[in-house]
Every structure is written in structure tokens, then in C-alpha cells.
Amino acid sequence: MANITVIGCGQMGSAITFPAAHNGHKIKLVGTHLDTEIVKQGQETGIHKTLCKTTPEGKVGFKVPEGITFHYLEEFEECLKGADLLICGVSSFGIDWFCEKIIPLIPESLPVLSITKGMIHTGDGHMISYPELFEQTAAKLGKKISFNAVGGPCTSYELADDDPTEVSFCGRDEKMLRWLKSLFENDVYHVTLSTDVRGVECAVALKNAYALGISLAVGLSYAREGKEIMHFNSQAALFQQSAREMQGLLEIVGCDRDNLFLGIGDLYVTIYGGRTRMIGTLLGEGVSFEDAMNRLKGVTLESIVISQRTVECIEKRIELGLSKADDFPLLMHIGDLISSKTKVNIPWAKFEREF
Amino acid sequence: MANITVIGCGQMGSAITFPAAHNGHKIKLVGTHLDTEIVKQGQETGIHKTLCKTTPEGKVGFKVPEGITFHYLEEFEECLKGADLLICGVSSFGIDWFCEKIIPLIPESLPVLSITKGMIHTGDGHMISYPELFEQTAAKLGKKISFNAVGGPCTSYELADDDPTEVSFCGRDEKMLRWLKSLFENDVYHVTLSTDVRGVECAVALKNAYALGISLAVGLSYAREGKEIMHFNSQAALFQQSAREMQGLLEIVGCDRDNLFLGIGDLYVTIYGGRTRMIGTLLGEGVSFEDAMNRLKGVTLESIVISQRTVECIEKRIELGLSKADDFPLLMHIGDLISSKTKVNIPWAKFEREF
């Protein structure tokens, strides 16, 4: 029986603990300063405020399994005592806070499993994963912590609902990864292991830009037809181009090619995820980026942040002569959309290739 | 202005002529013995009987563009006179007939563009494409005909409806391919060219088995929840595994890796296509293969035929020690389902990998 502490009890940080709870482990969900309402309701009712299932009657919050308790941020250090594992459950927007406020508190003996998807552009045309950023942060403090991470495809509400799911855990040490897997795996939650940290993390991060890109086609068809009829030829063409560009990007970050399939599976599920699809659909309908962001006020748009970083990285590489814009026409168009340089005008002809 | 004759005027054989007609070319749609109703209605009303658009009011047949006429099979040889291009529009089930009855009538000077998706297991663990089969058939007659082919992702009714679409034309000769492209390409129909005939054709053929496999998850979630709520984690996991196995299969046929993206885009659109999804969904709900086929009587199930061939090819390779069953767990399960050895029981654990 393991004691697991989670910092950041949003949808995914909480959902990932369900299989561990079913396996008999004890979990303390500690909220950040943004999670106070979640903690309050969780303590009062055991029902998660934002991790919900959609039913014909509307959204219904999941009741957390036996063994999971909710705690306010003030109790974090207390909750670290006796913990065997720390799960980092913050969103991309909380990464800086996690580095500044949390990493200093983590004992070297305590391994970390992060669910945050994303990567950083280092400014010179290279990308690194969040676990690598965490390692660098810890190193500056003279600490060596085992940072591990989870890669999709996995939507939080379906994980909580025991839908068959295949994810990847990545980290430096095989033995640690096998132990982590043993905490979570069960009949429906299946875990692949990899020591290619950058590969796994970048593969799942890169899908953000492309899920937005594919959703443009949804918007285009809505603009053309109204909401009853969807067109999949255009979505499929974008999916094909996305897969091709993602492979090119993974080659740039320098990682195991097998990660492409992870990214593709994650791309597939993200297209249906909701938030990224919403922004892509609005942009596809011809709405400007500012108007789209206004309409979606209050919606966490990690996909936008990660898309921007991906675009910046490739633009830097183009500037340095390391990459060509024609290798990433869809990404370049997404970049133009989210920097408000243009409204939707998918460069279909640029996806054509010859011999 | 080119004269294009089509043999087999079903949905795709007809739809592909729409962009050519818009470009000002003249098209003669010649029906096989299975297409008499289509020809009759086409001659009377100009409306295609089976190439339909789904509207809130139901299915509405497309009116063919100016320049397209319908003809009965008896007029085929007459329609070949003065033709600049022959389009082979038969389904997989018509391939033998096309080889026996049509190829002998094709003059060597007349190039062919085939829309039929599929490939053949040669019996010894290798797969060849239909264009290669056509070349071999013509060679036995002492004829050398330019066989070219189209690869998806492209659903016929969306092509007819001018949805932005990206396809590949493949063939032996670059100049011929460029000319073919010039007949069809326009603002919405974009064509990539490739001389990797086997690669393009096998990539799009292989997706049949996997579209069925991914649709199993649709059935599983219907069985579990009823029709209102879909689960995408499991579909995404299957999509990831499908992409991985498709790459493995393409390596076996020996082709350009870029074709994987074509196959993946085609896989994506086929999941929503209808017929393959229907059979996969029924199997996923736990229906036996015989019952599922009975319920879908009258529905052309090319995907089943191609899936069977893919399975047989890999089983032969396993027998010959050239491949391992563990490399293709999803394909093996699909094979068991469609040979009625089992009901659905997706081998999720076999999709896990380690280092």
C-alpha cells in the first residue's frame, strides 16, 4: 500500500488517482490556490466539482473512490510526510509556480509523476520537456529528484469512468517506472514504459497545435452547412498533414520514432476533447482569434500556449536556417491564426507533395 | 479537353469525375451489370441513385455536373472509342471481372486510373497492389498498359460535395501522373503524386482492418452505456495501436514510410464512413460475426475481404517465421473475430510495450 500525494487536484490530477485508489493505495489530493472550491466540495461530499461525466441529464461530478481525501494548499507540507509518491497535477500555467514553490519542498527521496502536458522552447530552436525543466530546476537547488511523467491518450473523465485506456509512463530509471506502473495498472488502465522522456512528452505536447488545426475543418463545415452536417474529408486531410508534421517535429527534438503513434492517438482523442476543439472550430468558422478568446473566457487554453511555443521554436529554426517553412505549412498557418495575423485560410495546396 | 470513360459507376467511380467535369472534361459513366438502376435513373434525371448527400430531410442524390453522361455496359466498347483515360470504378468484388472482361478490351495507348482500394495476398506472406495485379494480367495478354491509382482519404459523397480533399495518385511514370493530376485538381481537390504504387495502395488498403478494429470500441461503449455517450479513450488507444501496426505492415510490403500518413488520414475518415463502422460496432457490442453479417445483408463489405487477406498474409508470415503474432495483436484479434473464432475481447494488455 502506497501513500500518494497530489499537488493540483484539477480534472486530470484527480482522475489519475482513481486506478491507484482502486488498487488500494491512499491518496491525498492537495489543491493549489485555484482549487479551493474543488477541495471544499470534495471534503463536504466526496464529489469532484470539475471532474464530471456527461449524462443525458447533464454533467454529474464523479464521487471519488474510497481512499482519496481532499486537502487545502496550507496542508501540503504535512501531506508530504510519509508520502511514497508525489503527483504533479498542475496545468501548463502552473509550471512556473511548481518550479518556484513546490520543487524546493520535495525531498530527494520522493519520486514525482507529472501529468502536465507540454514543453518549452529553449529560445534557440530546441524544445525540452517539463520533466527536463524540473530536473534542471532541482539541480540548481543541488537536488536530484526522480521526475517521471505520463503521456496520453487519455481524457480525465473517461479515465475516471474506467474506459479502457493506454498511456505511457516515461522517466530515467526502468525500475522506478515498473514500480510506478504497478501502482496504477489494472484491467482497464494499461501502461507502456519508456526512458525516452523528451520523446513521450513532446509527442503528446505537439498534438495540441494540431488538434486545433484539425478542428478548423469542423468550423469550416459549420460555416458552410450549419451544425447538422460534418465533413470528414477535410478533417482527414488535416489529420494526415498533422501526422506528417508531427513526425518532422519529433525528428527535430530527437527521439524514438515510436512516439509518433502515441502522439497520433492523443491527437485523435484531443480532437473530441472539447476546449481545443472549441477554439479551432470558432477559428474555422472565420472568427478572429481575439473574438474567439473572448467567447471562451474562463476556459483554460493550454493548447494555445503550447501551440505558440511550437510555432516560435520552428520560426526560430527557420530563421537560423535549420528548418524550412514549407515543411510545416499547417503549423505556420496555425501560428498566423493565433497571433492574429490572419483569419482561417488553410494552405491546402501546400500539403501536396511530388515524388 | 479530355474524354474520360469510367467502368463501374458506383459512388466513388462517379464522384471522382465531378472535379474533372468541373474542369471541362467529358465523362462517360459506364455501369457494370450491377449498376443498371444507377444508369437508368442517371439517364432519366441526371441524379445519381447511390451517391447521396445526407441532409436533415434524408438522403438526396447528387445531380451530376454538366458533361457527365450515363451508359449501360453494352455500350462500353463504343465508349472506349476516342477516350483519353479509363477510370476503373469497380469495387474489390469486381476486380476479377475487371481483369477477365475489361483488361482484354483496353488498348495499350489508353491509360487507366483505378479507384479500387485493396491488395492481394500472394500466398507466401507478401502483398501486392491491384495496379500490380492489373499489370501482370495485361502482361499475360502481351499488353503494356499504364495503370495508375488513387489513394484516399476521401469519402465519395464529400468529394461530390466539394469538401477540401487531399489524395494521392500513384503510378510508374511521373509525366503521366502530372497529366492525370491536371485533369482533376482544383481549389478543393488536391493531389499528391507518388511512384511508390505498392506503398500508396497498401497504405490505404490496410486501413480497412483497422477501421473495423477501432469501431469495436464504439460497440463496446454502446454495449456499456447505450447510444448517448461515446468513449474516446478506448478508440484512441486502438487508433494508436492501429497506426503502429500499420507501420509494421508497410515495412513488410516494403515501401516509402511517408505512406503511413496517407493510411492514417484514410483510417481517420473511414472510421466515420459508415459500413466498416457498422460491422465493427456490432462486433464490439458482442454480436457474433455471422449475426452481424446477417444484419448487414446487402451492404458491400470490402473491408472484410481486405481484412481477411491482411490477416492471412501475416498468419502465413508467422508460419514461415517471418513475423511474430505479438507484433500485430490487434490484427490477430480482428482476424479471430471475422473468422468467427471468438467474440470481442480486445487484447489491451498486448498493446503495452516496455523500453
Side-chain angles (χ1 to χ4, degrees), chain A residues 155 158 161 163 165-166 178 181 190 192-193 224 232-235 258 268 272 348 352-354, chain B residues 155 158 161 163 165-166 178 181 190 192-193 224 232-235 268 272 348 352-354:
Chain A
T155 57
E158 292 186 354
D161 203 29
D163 191 40
T165 298
E166 302 262 343
R178 287 199 183 97
K181 174 173 172 163
H190 297 274
T192 278
L193 301 179
R224 186 181 148 175
F232 290 103
N233 275 17
S234 37
Q235 282 187 50
D258 190 71
Y268 178 77
Y272 295 92
W348 299 107
E352 295 175 17
R353 295 168 323 288
E354 201 188 70
Chain B
T155 57
E158 293 185 352
D161 204 29
D163 192 40
T165 298
E166 301 262 342
R178 286 198 185 98
K181 174 173 172 163
H190 297 274
T192 278
L193 301 179
R224 185 181 148 177
F232 289 103
N233 275 17
S234 38
Q235 283 187 48
Y268 179 77
Y272 295 91
W348 299 108
E352 295 175 17
R353 295 167 324 287
E354 201 190 69

Side-chain angles (χ1 to χ4, degrees), chain B residues 258-327:
Chain B
D258 189 72
N259 289 310
L260 175 69
F261 307 122
L262 187 71
I264 284 171
D266 209 351
L267 174 63
Y268 179 77
V269 77
T270 305
I271 295 165
Y272 295 91
R275 296 173 294 179
T276 305
R277 185 187 180 84
M278 281 198 283
I279 185 85
T281 301
L282 287 171
L283 292 170
E285 290 185 63
V287 174
S288 75
F289 183 62
E290 293 100 310
D291 286 348
M293 291 298 275
N294 274 333
R295 292 194 210 185
L296 295 173
K297 253 188 169 64
V299 176
T300 312
L301 286 169
E302 284 178 284
S303 65
I304 299 293
V305 171
I306 295 164
S307 304
Q308 285 165 334
R309 288 178 192 164
T310 313
V311 169
E312 281 162 20
C313 176
I314 298 306
E315 284 176 343
K316 189 68 186 176
R317 290 181 66 83
I318 292 167
E319 188 189 308
L320 295 172
L322 300 170
S323 292
K324 293 183 296 203
D326 280 351
D327 288 341

Side-chain angles (χ1 to χ4, degrees), chain A residues 283-305:
Chain A
L283 293 170
E285 289 185 63
V287 174
S288 76
F289 183 63
E290 294 99 311
D291 287 349
M293 292 296 276
N294 275 333
R295 292 194 211 185
L296 295 173
K297 253 186 167 62
V299 176
T300 312
L301 286 169
E302 285 179 284
S303 65
I304 298 294
V305 171

